[in-house]
Amino acid sequence: MSELKIIAHIITDFDEKFGVPRQSGLCSAKGRIIFEPEYRSPDALKGIEEFDYLWIIWGFEGVESDTFKATVRPPRLGGNETRGVFATRSPFRPNPLGLSSVKYEGLEVTENGLTVLVSGVDMRNNTPIYDIKPYLPYVDSHPEASNGFAGEHRSENLKVEMSRELLKLIPNDKRDTLIEVLEQDPRPHYQDDPEREYGLSFAGLNIKFKVSESILKVTRVE
Amino acid sequence: MSELKIIAHIITDFDEKFGVPRQSGLCSAKGRIIFEPEYRSPDALKGIEEFDYLWIIWGFEGVESDTFKATVRPPRLGGNETRGVFATRSPFRPNPLGLSSVKYEGLEVTENGLTVLVSGVDMRNNTPIYDIKPYLPYVDSHPEASNGFAGEHRSENLKVEMSRELLKLIPNDKRDTLIEVLEQDPRPHYQDDPEREYGLSFAGLNIKFKVSESILKVTRVE
């Protein structure tokens, strides 16, 4: 095999790369998997409800390169240290495949056929999907394993401040996820300018905010 | 992206499909990852020793099909029941990508450059590899998740009988793994003929055996 087939796309609230959670499972963000017409068969999902989690193998977009770069600079290490690409989950890799374990939340019939609802997504809206597999804890779960540099450098959550007026502009069922996304500090790790206003595209809204010390203050919702 | 690049191949003791463990981590079988010349850079592995497990995304071979089959018959369910392909880890899927978490066992310089040693492999010898990522337990490990049908139908291990004379024909460092592979019953689940002699290709040897009740008896080593 060399030619990958797109079997589905996932609809999420992240229209831009900025703000997408760094890994799967870090917040409650929802996603809906819509199959391409030729893979749109309810039979293909028979028994999927037996599982709590699913693996999604998907494609990073906008990261393709003709040359192989052996090292990357993980944001978690401040952007200064290098690591081998195969020692990171960076999108800049020979085959830009993403791997996410998401929570299975059910099936729903839509005008696009039977769709799969999931949560804990770390994918941009409309990301192409190449495979879906059940998560099997008896072989996939290694809780005692080392997190490597990703463990040593986990960042503290920010405290999110948002006025009641601004919060009202966010749909009810999106509020918790938005707060979680902001708490996790979507800024590049090496940026720390309290005057800078950032813009996060989320659920069709533009959320403007500033960060000072460990407090993130939402300034506008557009 | 649609064209996958083979970045490496993995050398294992399983020359044929028969006998390959059903999933990763089920036995101590070793593997050596040899990179293709254009990805053969020690830099690409910098920091990989920080991790205990690695993900390998690899290619199932000999399973390609032009038509989409929505259901498969998992061996674990006896070969009679169907499940949707996305509710199984079957190789017969739109993109025949395998996903394995293997234990990182170190690096070794060879005439083929720097190679990665791993254990717990479930791949045939010379399987093409598309990606290697560090296993991150803080996002990848869900020990509480359901195993679905794979949990309800786990088979009991067989008791392996092998004479001292036959055992001597197996290289010392391969014996434990061979016993583990046999204990896990490599037969298709729906076969139960005590007279039938099976042949397992392992580490360049042909291991002949018969199974009666829960006892597997090695009959010849060639």
Side-chain angles (χ1 to χ4, degrees):
Chain A
M1 173 192 48
S2 58
E3 194 75 26
L4 275 183
K5 300 160 191 156
I6 294 175
I7 62 161
H9 287 82
I10 188 164
I11 306 304
T12 75
D13 283 323
F14 303 106
D15 278 318
E16 296 176 7
K17 189 181 168 195
F18 185 81
V20 176
R22 290 195 169 80
Q23 299 291 339
S24 58
L26 297 183
C27 78
S28 58
K30 300 269 193 306
R32 179 191 297 276
I33 299 170
I34 298 178
F35 288 88
E36 294 299 292
E38 84 183 274
Y39 301 104
R40 202 170 282 176
S41 157
D43 285 347
L45 299 171
K46 182 184 173 188
I48 204 165
E49 70 285 352
E50 295 181 25
F51 300 94
D52 293 325
Y53 287 84
L54 303 175
W55 285 113
I56 302 183
I57 298 177
W58 49 278
F60 288 105
E61 292 187 295
V63 294
E64 293 200 57
S65 163
D66 287 338
T67 56
F68 171 51
K69 293 207 188 88
T71 59
V72 296
R73 297 174 183 273
R76 204 175 274 286
L77 293 175
N80 299 316
E81 287 186 52
T82 61
R83 286 292 186 276
V85 61
F86 300 126
T88 78
R89 303 276 277 248
S90 166
F92 302 97
R93 46 203 321 117
N95 294 302
L97 296 172
L99 176 65
S100 301
S101 63
V102 295
K103 210 157 185 300
Y104 171 74
E105 301 280 2
L107 301 175
E108 209 173 272
V109 179
T110 70
E111 57 181 6
N112 294 311
L114 192 60
T115 59
V116 181
L117 302 176
V118 296
S119 66
V121 302
D122 59 341
M123 284 154 269
R124 244 196 296 189
N125 186 31
N126 221 27
T127 290
I129 291 180
Y130 301 116
D131 204 2
I132 301 169
K133 300 177 190 287
Y135 183 98
L136 302 179
Y138 84 104
V139 292
D140 296 332
S141 182
H142 307 289
E144 76 292 357
S146 162
N147 280 300
F149 70 82
E152 293 155 35
H153 297 264
R154 294 188 65 177
S155 38
E156 295 289 309
N157 275 357
L158 299 176
K159 185 170 182 299
V160 174
E161 291 185 356
M162 190 170 183
S163 72
R164 190 170 300 212
E165 286 66 32
L166 290 178
L167 196 62
K168 277 188 191 157
L169 301 174
I170 315 292
N172 249 319
D173 61 336
K174 307 282 186 190
R175 289 179 189 176
D176 286 352
T177 301
L178 173 62
I179 301 293
E180 290 163 11
V181 167
L182 294 173
E183 279 175 348
Q184 286 167 30
D185 195 352
R187 295 174 304 164
H189 268 222
Y190 40 88
Q191 290 195 3
D192 192 16
D193 175 358
E195 294 308 314
R196 176 160 175 180
E197 190 176 58
Y198 296 88
L200 169 73
S201 177
F202 177 78
L205 297 165
N206 195 352
I207 317 292
K208 303 280 192 183
F209 65 87
K210 293 182 178 184
V211 183
S212 178
E213 306 281 334
S214 64
I215 294 174
L216 182 152
K217 192 174 168 58
V218 177
T219 49
R220 291 182 283 161
V221 172
E222 292 170 347
Chain B
M1 174 192 46
S2 60
E3 194 75 25
L4 273 184
K5 299 162 191 156
I6 294 176
I7 63 161
H9 287 83
I10 187 164
I11 306 305
T12 75
D13 283 321
F14 304 106
D15 278 318
E16 295 177 6
K17 188 182 169 195
F18 184 81
V20 177
R22 291 197 168 79
Q23 298 292 340
S24 58
L26 297 183
C27 78
S28 57
K30 301 270 192 305
R32 180 190 296 276
I33 299 171
I34 298 179
F35 288 87
E36 294 301 291
E38 85 182 274
Y39 301 104
R40 201 170 282 175
S41 159
D43 285 347
L45 300 170
K46 181 184 173 189
I48 204 165
E49 71 284 352
E50 295 180 25
F51 300 95
D52 293 324
Y53 287 84
L54 303 174
W55 286 112
I56 301 183
I57 299 177
W58 49 278
F60 289 105
E61 293 188 293
V63 293
E64 294 199 57
S65 164
D66 286 338
T67 55
F68 172 51
K69 293 208 186 87
T71 59
V72 295
R73 297 174 184 272
R76 203 175 274 286
L77 293 175
N80 299 316
E81 287 186 50
T82 61
R83 286 291 186 278
V85 61
F86 301 126
T88 79
R89 302 276 276 250
S90 166
F92 302 97
R93 46 206 316 120
N95 294 302
L97 295 173
L99 176 65
S100 301
S101 62
V102 295
K103 208 159 186 300
Y104 170 75
E105 301 281 1
L107 301 175
E108 208 172 272
V109 179
T110 71
E111 58 181 6
N112 295 311
L114 192 60
T115 60
V116 182
L117 302 176
V118 296
S119 66
V121 303
D122 59 341
M123 285 156 266
R124 244 198 296 188
N125 187 30
N126 221 26
T127 290
I129 291 180
Y130 301 117
D131 203 2
I132 300 169
K133 300 177 191 285
Y135 183 98
L136 301 179
Y138 83 103
V139 292
D140 295 332
S141 183
H142 307 288
E144 76 291 358
S146 162
N147 280 299
F149 71 84
E152 293 155 35
H153 298 265
R154 293 189 66 177
S155 38
E156 294 289 310
N157 274 358
L158 298 176
K159 185 169 181 300
V160 174
E161 292 184 354
M162 190 170 185
S163 72
R164 191 169 299 211
E165 286 67 33
L166 290 178
L167 197 61
K168 277 187 191 158
L169 301 173
I170 316 293
N172 249 318
D173 61 335
K174 307 283 187 191
R175 289 179 189 174
D176 287 352
T177 301
L178 172 62
I179 302 292
E180 290 164 11
V181 167
L182 294 173
E183 280 175 348
Q184 285 166 29
D185 195 353
R187 296 175 304 164
H189 268 221
Y190 40 88
Q191 290 194 4
D192 193 15
D193 175 358
E195 295 307 314
R196 175 159 178 183
E197 190 175 58
Y198 296 88
L200 169 73
S201 178
F202 177 78
L205 297 165
N206 196 351
I207 317 291
K208 303 279 193 184
F209 65 88
K210 294 183 177 183
V211 184
S212 178
E213 306 282 333
S214 63
I215 294 175
L216 182 153
K217 191 174 168 59
V218 178
T219 50
R220 289 182 286 162
V221 173
E222 292 170 346

